[in-house]
Amino acid sequence: MPYVPAVMEMENAIIRMMEDLERALQKPPSERRWGMVIDLTKCVACDACTVSCKAEKKTPPNVNYTVVIKEEVGTYPNVREVFLPRPCMQCEEPPCVDVCPVAATWQNEEGIVVIDYDVCIGCRYCITACPYGARTFDFGEFYGDGTPMIEPYETAPTFEYGEERVRSPEARHESPIGNVRKCNFCIERLHEGLLPACINDCIGRARYFGDLNDPDSLVSEMLRERYSFRLKEELGTKPKVFYLS
Amino acid sequence: MNKNKGWTIAYWAIAIVMLGVGAIGLYWRLVYGHLLANYGELIVWGLWVAMYIFFVGLSAGAFMVSSLFYAFGLERFRPVARLGLLVSLIAMPLGLVSIWFDLGHMWRFFELYTRPSFTSLMSVEVWLYTAFLIVLVWMIWLEYHDEEKKSKMLKVLSAIGLVLVVLYEGAGGALYGVAAARPAWHGGLFPLLFILSAFTAGVAGVIVAYVFFSKDHPDEEDYRRVVSELGKLLLALVAIESLFLFSEYSVALYSSVPSEIAPLIAILTGPYWYVFWIGQIGLGIVLPLIVLLWKRARQSPVWVGIAGVGVVIATFAMRLNIVIPPLALPELNGLIEAVPGSTRMSMQYMPSSMEWFLAIGIVGFGMALFALGYALFPTTPPAEKEA
């Protein structure tokens, strides 16, 4: 008998998670603990999450907040592919925070590791400290570089961290160019009652999101019912991204 | 500044050409930011970071040489005490400039003073550099201006400065040592290795400055004696450093843990094998051992000077190998291939023209600074004048 994951149907899951989100937003921020659950049995490596993140954050080339690692296991013809989506783990003990020489990155009261683009000096020490390769440096590249025109979507404002920012090829020194950038669980969307972009756009409904402090949230329920693991658990970084397998 | 006019002209010509090349690199850096750099998302630190730790190490080491006289009162190192201060004074800004250009937002460097976070060794380092520079400038001011009761104050300042350079080199090694995410960095040996290799580079650097870039040495016998003393010191340091290197590499290679071994295999047999075998081993160990163990060579200042050049280059090679190969290993398998077309997720790194040009400019800047410093601060010890 094939194993059928015990989760809700697609529509319900999204509605349920939005209800969870609304409930969490009623609480004081310090009582929320945002977490992500990724069901590896449902990931098809379509990269919809990667693309939806790109669209949401308008990240330039080489800056990727979430990626899907694809690995081929076995020898032909007995092969199988395994997929591992990797956003920022939002560690409870983040090794990237303490190394920042100017305290430009920290864990906020909701447990999300954030970056202040107006403070970050771009030394990239945090990139070397992250065990998950979740941080990237914005070199100031544009997909339209070397073409006759930089498409308008690349210079449209993003609202990351609730701040309106424009990346412009004319100002390749202005933040977020020259900064280290990473997934922030779409904190600006959360505060508006919206789920992170990658959660909404996952076609296989492999990604789930919610308040880990709320026992009634879908993510808490899934973590209770299913076997889960976290990446590099031995480091003790306590990621808040859980994988189901 | 040296033996003859032709030599001086050649020196300045080289320095000016290098500064000109550097100006092009500087223009690119200021206009295009990091766009033209070849370091990437995996190898996030490159040539400039290696230069930074090399130059601040050289500054620390040259200061240690000067402290042999100032702090420890070893008269036999008196002829190079001032030279040590000068090399230290010039190397430090070269290191700081190198890392300054590496910053994503170079005009925000002042935040390291206005809002430092001392949980980060990077902040700790910047504050230690600053304290050290104050001590160093103070010492030079005393040495050249204040004739009265200077020796006692210089001794105190030299001792303080020595503590500061040992601390900042130690912190410099620890900056890498604490990075648990990078197996080849993580460990307790780096702080010690940094302090030791800084001293080695400092002795070598002072030898080079003394033999090749100082005025005619009036007392030939004294000059030969000092070079010979420095040569012995260099020999001892190279021997100890070889032991450190062997210890570091053999422990990792015998560990049978692929993530520990991979960066070392990359260093030993990768595309840039020559940085290790020719740079670190050939110039840094074999050459000085041959020169300094072979009686006829070690009695010749020029040969000792050549050994010094080798060790200086080898220390830079070591810095390159410390910074770059341990970064080449992706944190998770498959990360490089995860997003096709991510040009900066590469395990290979060769500095870009901008990086090279600016690096050449920084060295040229150092040459110009050295010549000017040498003219401003005569390095012959004051005692000789009094006598």
Side-chain angles (χ1 to χ4, degrees), chain B residues 6 8 10 15 22 53 61 68 86 117 137 139 147 157 170 176 219 221-222 282 291-292 310 325 335-336 358 367 377:
Chain B
T8 309
I53 57 172
L68 293 174
L86 181 65
S117 167
V137 170
M139 276 186 76
E147 288 303 322
L157 286 175
Y176 298 89
D219 186 345
E221 200 180 316
D222 192 49
V291 169
L292 299 167
L335 206 52
I336 292 174
L358 198 50
M367 286 175 70
F377 306 112

Side-chain angles (χ1 to χ4, degrees), chain A residues 87-109:
Chain A
C88 169
M89 300 289 126
Q90 309 294 354
C91 305
E92 282 182 37
E93 302 285 343
C96 56
V97 164
D98 280 351
V99 299
C100 177
V102 293
T105 183
W106 66 92
Q107 193 175 32
N108 78 359
E109 52 182 351

Side-chain angles (χ1 to χ4, degrees), chain A residues 37-218:
Chain A
V37 173
I38 300 175
D39 189 344
L40 297 180
T41 62
K42 296 170 83 182
C43 175
V44 295
C46 67
D47 268 312
C49 48
T50 314
V51 174
S52 78
C53 179
K54 281 254 156 224
E56 176 69 24
K57 307 283 190 173
K58 302 180 183 69
T59 50
N62 294 302
V63 174
N64 304 302
Y65 292 175
T66 184
V67 298
V68 182
I69 294 170
K70 297 114 189 153
E71 203 176 352
E72 202 176 273
V73 179
T75 22
Y76 183 84
N78 301 310
V79 289
R80 153 194 154 97
E81 280 208 284
V82 288
F83 311 125
L84 185 87
R86 196 252 36 219
C88 169
M89 300 289 126
Q90 309 294 354
C91 305
E92 282 182 37
E93 302 285 343
C96 56
V97 164
D98 280 351
V99 299
C100 177
V102 293
T105 183
W106 66 92
Q107 193 175 32
N108 78 359
E109 52 182 351
E110 295 167 82
I112 295 175
V113 176
V114 296
I115 299 170
D116 187 337
Y117 289 154
D118 293 324
V119 173
C120 169
I121 60 174
C123 72
R124 315 191 289 289
Y125 194 10
C126 56
I127 300 181
T128 70
C130 174
Y132 306 99
R135 286 175 173 256
T136 46
F137 182 67
D138 190 333
F139 280 83
E141 292 167 309
F142 287 81
Y143 285 101
D145 278 340
T147 69
M149 183 188 159
I150 292 189
E151 297 290 337
Y153 77 88
E154 286 207 77
T155 52
T158 63
F159 295 91
E160 226 178 334
Y161 299 107
E163 299 157 353
E164 186 176 338
R165 279 182 199 276
V166 174
R167 283 178 89 261
S168 155
E170 277 80 47
R172 300 202 195 217
H173 301 278
E174 272 170 38
S175 291
I177 293 173
N179 288 126
V180 171
R181 306 180 62 181
K182 63 181 275 296
C183 157
N184 65 352
F185 270 3
C186 283
I187 186 169
E188 58 282 348
R189 287 174 59 96
L190 299 182
H191 289 167
E192 299 298 324
L194 297 167
L195 291 165
C198 59
I199 305 292
N200 272 82
D201 294 345
C202 178
I203 64 157
R205 191 59 58 230
R207 290 169 94 115
Y208 301 85
F209 187 84
D211 181 9
L212 298 170
N213 275 351
D214 176 1
D216 299 325
S217 68
L218 179 60

